[in-house]
Amino acid sequence: MALIEVRDLNLYYGEHHALKGISMDIEARSITALIGPSGCGKSTFLRTLNRMNDMIKGVRIEGTVRIGGDDIYADDVDVELLRKRVGMVFQQPNPFPKSIYDNVAFGPRIHGVTDKRELDEIVERSLRQAALWDEVKDVLKKPALSLSGGQQQRLCIARALAVEPDILLMDEPTSALDPISTAKIEELIQELKKDYTIVIVTHNMQQAARVSDRTAFFLQGELVEYGDTAELFHNP
Ligand code: ADP
Ligand code: ADP
């Protein structure tokens, strides 16, 4: 069974039909790239996977999204827990104006971790997973905003990982970064696939070809191509 099963998903912003009958099966520990022109529904689709669209006024959703077999739009779903399980990283690195340590400890603290030793361990583990530990281990009390853009984005990845999600959603995570930071994050994404299921929006076809196992091509709210990246990008 696929970890994420999307069936006949439609989403409307008021009158605007933004997602049209999307069905997708996303396997655990895979990387799926969502590509297509601006405004085709990539971000909207990504947000349906952790119910981030719920906060937008006038949104109506039809169809089902199951994660690990559970209907995430069922009435009794705890949305906070869902978002713990399905983390998100945005285009613009958005660390809180706090220390590096406090950024990573933020989620675990919200979910009730108070023990200092336990928090220290989580912070170290998450920063290591995000390939940032060696760069920041001696300056954990420094403001997160003192880091470079690429480091801030890896910090945001560490912050997402700190609550032990199964799934990581990334909305153009490298668009605001220079080529070297981008390459580091692409390498990191492939590393993370060992433990996480990743869905990444990118406007960059080469990036999709480099990092993903499966590619979903959206056009005006429809899923027009969906398959193995190696096959989709193969030019005979
Ligand atoms: P993409 O990520 O592919 O650029 P989006 O998912 O952001 O596309 O947008 C898909 C369509 O839905 C666009 O026509 C966009 O204008 C519209 N849209 C996105 N967000 C909203 C919103 N909050 N309210 C109304 N329309 C929206
Ligand atoms: P992206 O392509 O990265 O999603 P957009 O410029 O399409 O960026 O959207 C930026 C923000 O504006 C998003 O939060 C989106 O939901 C919102 N948005 C996009 N289109 C509309 C719209 N037609 N009406 C209201 N909000 C919109």
Side-chain angles (χ1 to χ4, degrees), residues 34-107:
L34 310 180
I35 63 173
S38 182
C40 66
K42 305 179 296 293
S43 300
T44 299
F45 177 77
L46 194 73
R47 292 193 299 256
T48 62
L49 303 180
N50 70 349
R51 295 186 53 170
M52 289 279 281
N53 294 307
D54 286 20
M55 299 185 268
I56 301 172
K57 215 170 126 250
V59 168
R60 189 159 57 83
I61 294 171
E62 297 165 348
T64 55
V65 178
R66 289 181 189 281
I67 296 183
D70 302 327
D71 178 355
I72 65 166
Y73 285 92
D75 290 337
D76 59 350
V77 168
D78 180 336
V79 177
E80 286 308 309
L81 274 184
L82 171 68
R83 296 202 183 124
K84 181 171 184 280
R85 198 169 172 202
V86 187
M88 189 129 177
V89 174
F90 299 90
Q91 175 172 351
Q92 211 59 47
N94 60 349
F96 305 125
K98 295 165 172 276
S99 69
I100 295 166
Y101 184 98
D102 284 343
N103 265 272
V104 185
F106 180 83

Side-chain angles (χ1 to χ4, degrees), residues 115-127:
D115 181 64
K116 173 83 169 77
R117 271 234 324 264
E118 195 180 344
L119 279 173
D120 287 353
E121 279 170 20
I122 293 170
V123 169
E124 177 170 345
R125 171 182 58 75
S126 307
L127 287 168

